[in-house]
Amino acid sequence: IMLVISVCCVINVYAQQDISQRINDIMYSRNTEECGILIQQIKDSDIALMPDSTLFKYYYLSAWYYYENDEIEKQIEYLVKAKDVCETRLGIDNYVFVYFEIIKALGEACEFLNQNDEALLWYEEGMVKGLPYLGTDNETLQSYFKDIRNYSAKIYEMKGYKDMAMYLRSDNPL
């Protein structure tokens, strides 16, 4: 019986390594056809066994796949899952660039669906979660923050809050 259990454990570990490698390969190649095949092959039992970093990549890759296939609602669903794994299991500090990329993509996806109130909530979350990083000299992070502020300003302006829009477009601190 112990031998059977050991063999099953080894098979599961090997399968997880194979899934992780396939996810990495597809992320590198950006092959949407292969991505769709992989997403269809992954079962809930595979997801339950994934290490946190693989789970994050799986959700992130799935969001990309659904974006590429104009399935924006599904994109949002998987972006939220990736964001949640990043926040609760991996830590924002460890994935800071991708985290703010996800926040920005969530807002943009909601805007695409004309869900401006929801988009504004994502952008505002990005601004709040970005406060500890505002003093950074990193141009990529600064670019995300500027985009998030500008996108928020656009929505505030459409809602008639011109003062708020002007403030967000300025270089004034939050």
Side-chain angles (χ1 to χ4, degrees):
I1 291 180
M2 290 301 287
L3 180 61
V4 171
I5 292 172
S6 297
V7 169
C8 288
C9 289
V10 168
I11 289 171
N12 281 338
V13 168
Y14 178 75
Q16 287 302 311
Q17 288 174 340
D18 182 51
I19 289 171
S20 180
Q21 186 58 52
R22 288 179 64 199
I23 289 170
N24 287 336
D25 291 346
I26 292 169
M27 287 181 92
Y28 180 76
S29 71
R30 297 243 186 242
N31 184 323
T32 54
E33 186 176 319
E34 287 295 317
C35 186
I37 292 168
L38 177 65
I39 289 170
Q40 300 242 333
Q41 291 174 342
I42 292 177
K43 301 171 187 62
D44 288 341
S45 59
D46 296 322
I47 293 169
L49 295 173
M50 286 181 184
D52 294 341
S53 60
T54 302
L55 183 63
F56 173 76
K57 289 177 187 177
Y58 167 70
Y59 289 149
Y60 188 75
L61 182 67
S62 296
W64 169 78
Y65 171 78
Y66 290 117
Y67 169 79
E68 290 292 320
N69 287 283
D70 294 324
E71 295 183 53
I72 306 304
E73 291 90 358
K74 294 286 280 184
Q75 175 202 11
I76 291 170
E77 175 187 337
Y78 281 94
L79 284 170
V80 168
K81 289 178 180 185
K83 181 189 85 66
D84 290 345
V85 170
C86 187
E87 285 178 337
T88 62
R89 298 181 184 185
L90 299 173
I92 295 171
D93 288 341
N94 298 321
Y95 287 80
V96 68
F97 298 108
V98 177
Y99 180 80
F100 288 107
E101 182 179 300
I102 288 170
I103 292 288
K104 181 180 164 191
L106 280 164
E108 290 171 333
C110 289
E111 280 192 82
F112 182 81
L113 296 174
N114 291 316
Q115 299 172 352
N116 290 333
D117 289 338
E118 188 71 20
L120 189 56
L121 289 173
W122 287 119
Y123 296 142
E124 288 174 344
E125 181 176 330
M127 285 187 276
V128 169
K129 297 268 175 77
L131 287 173
Y133 306 98
L134 285 181
T136 184
D137 291 336
N138 186 289
E139 290 181 26
T140 303
L141 278 180
Q142 291 302 322
S143 176
Y144 283 132
F145 299 145
K146 186 172 181 68
D147 287 347
I148 288 170
R149 285 179 73 156
N150 285 336
Y151 295 162
S152 297
K154 179 179 73 175
I155 294 171
Y156 275 119
E157 191 167 47
M158 288 181 346
K159 292 177 160 292
Y161 299 107
K162 302 215 185 283
D163 289 343
M164 177 62 102
M166 191 167 47
Y167 184 79
L168 286 169
R169 287 190 178 109
S170 73
D171 288 332
N172 293 328
L174 290 176

